Amino acid sequence: MKNQQKILLFHVDREKQAQLSKLCLSMGIQMIFIEKKQYGETLGALAKIQGIPLSNTPDTGAEFPAEMMVFSGMDSQALDHFLKKYRELQIAPIALKAVLTPNNIFWSPRQLYGELQKEHAAFQKQPFER
């Protein structure tokens, strides 16, 4: 059985949620809106990966200052197609994006957010090359 394509959204404004919902519906991708109170769970549980149960771990931290998007069950071709459609529809960018992997499936959203923030900051400091 093929893994269901899903996108987890964290701290995304309502207008962008509506745009993304339409895009995902047209592509057969399940959209999962994650609330701050769920940030204590693992990414795998939030993506409803079989065999990874919810822990009901409470989250006591603040809301993320930036938006984050996590892709689950999408191969590189499906991901490229989604991102192409995303740009064509001129949906405002989400800087922090990740793919659910065996390395991060048991991370909390906070752990992933921290890693993506570090990568994003390092990327912003790199000189532009032509």
Side-chain angles (χ1 to χ4, degrees), residues 19-60:
Q19 293 172 309
L20 286 166
S21 289
K22 287 179 188 175
L23 174 58
C24 287
L25 184 62
S26 74
M27 297 181 72
I29 299 169
Q30 181 184 0
M31 181 74 55
I32 303 174
F33 302 104
I34 307 299
E35 298 178 26
K36 189 193 105 34
K37 67 182 179 182
Q38 299 173 285
Y39 292 1
E41 299 292 342
T42 66
L43 293 167
L46 293 172
K48 302 175 183 167
I49 303 296
Q50 187 175 3
I52 304 178
L54 292 171
S55 66
N56 297 312
T57 302
D59 180 78
T60 57

Side-chain angles (χ1 to χ4, degrees), residues 9 11-22 31 33 67 69 86 91-95:
L9 291 180
H11 189 61
V12 175
D13 71 59
R14 294 215 184 274
E15 182 180 337
K16 196 180 296 181
Q17 284 182 18
Q19 293 172 309
L20 286 166
S21 289
K22 287 179 188 175
M31 181 74 55
F33 302 104
E67 301 168 317
M69 181 185 306
Y86 186 102
I91 300 172
I94 293 177

